[in-house]
Amino acid sequence: QLQLVESGGGLVQPGGSLRVSCAASGFQKDYYAIGWFRQAPGKEREGVSCISSSGSSTNYADSVKGRFTISRDNANNTVYLQMNSLKPEDTAVYYCVATRSPLFSLCRLTGTWIYWGQGTQVTVSS
């Protein structure tokens, strides 16, 4: 079964940068789209970004577009979310998510994500 483990969260000052990682295992012969969701206290989970199985298609929430970059290293079964120009409102638990997806399919944040990691805390504060 697919497992997702996040790392790289922490405390960063506004305007700073942070990179969170998602290590995946159990891919076997299946293809997966990978994404990042986040949840702040008292708020609903929000889709942040996703990347297709092939890595050729990406999507971003409007709130992070231009600041965050998702990438995929299939050789190491790892997905990264590079977060730049961080704002206090980016503070949340960030979850790595995945779902089976054909190799040539696009990813979409509005879709159903079956697999979830445990999350990593990102705090943006001075």
Side-chain angles (χ1 to χ4, degrees):
Q1 183 175 327
L2 183 68
Q3 290 186 301
L4 306 170
V5 180
E6 302 96 331
S7 63
L11 176 65
V12 63
Q13 294 183 333
S17 298
L18 197 66
R19 186 180 74 168
V20 291
S21 302
C22 174
S25 61
F27 276 105
Q28 298 184 23
K29 297 181 179 180
D30 298 319
Y31 296 102
Y32 297 87
I34 308 293
W36 289 93
F37 276 62
R38 66 185 181 185
Q39 187 169 29
K43 296 184 178 180
E44 296 181 358
R45 285 183 174 177
E46 173 191 22
V48 177
S49 183
C50 65
I51 188 166
S52 64
S53 300
S54 68
S56 62
S57 175
T58 59
N59 271 311
Y60 299 91
D62 289 340
S63 59
V64 307
K65 194 172 298 182
R67 299 187 297 121
F68 291 10
T69 302
I70 191 169
S71 61
R72 186 168 188 155
D73 183 355
N74 288 333
N76 294 303
N77 296 322
T78 304
V79 172
Y80 304 97
L81 184 67
Q82 178 66 47
M83 302 180 287
N84 299 325
S85 302
L86 284 163
K87 305 174 182 179
E89 49 263 45
D90 294 318
T91 296
V93 176
Y94 283 71
Y95 297 90
C96 182
V97 299
T99 191
R100 290 184 179 179
S101 178
L103 181 62
F104 301 107
S105 293
L106 304 177
C107 78
R108 54 175 184 159
L109 292 172
T110 56
T112 300
W113 298 88
I114 299 174
Y115 303 98
W116 291 71
Q118 293 298 309
T120 185
Q121 177 70 47
V122 173
T123 302
V124 184
S125 176
S126 59

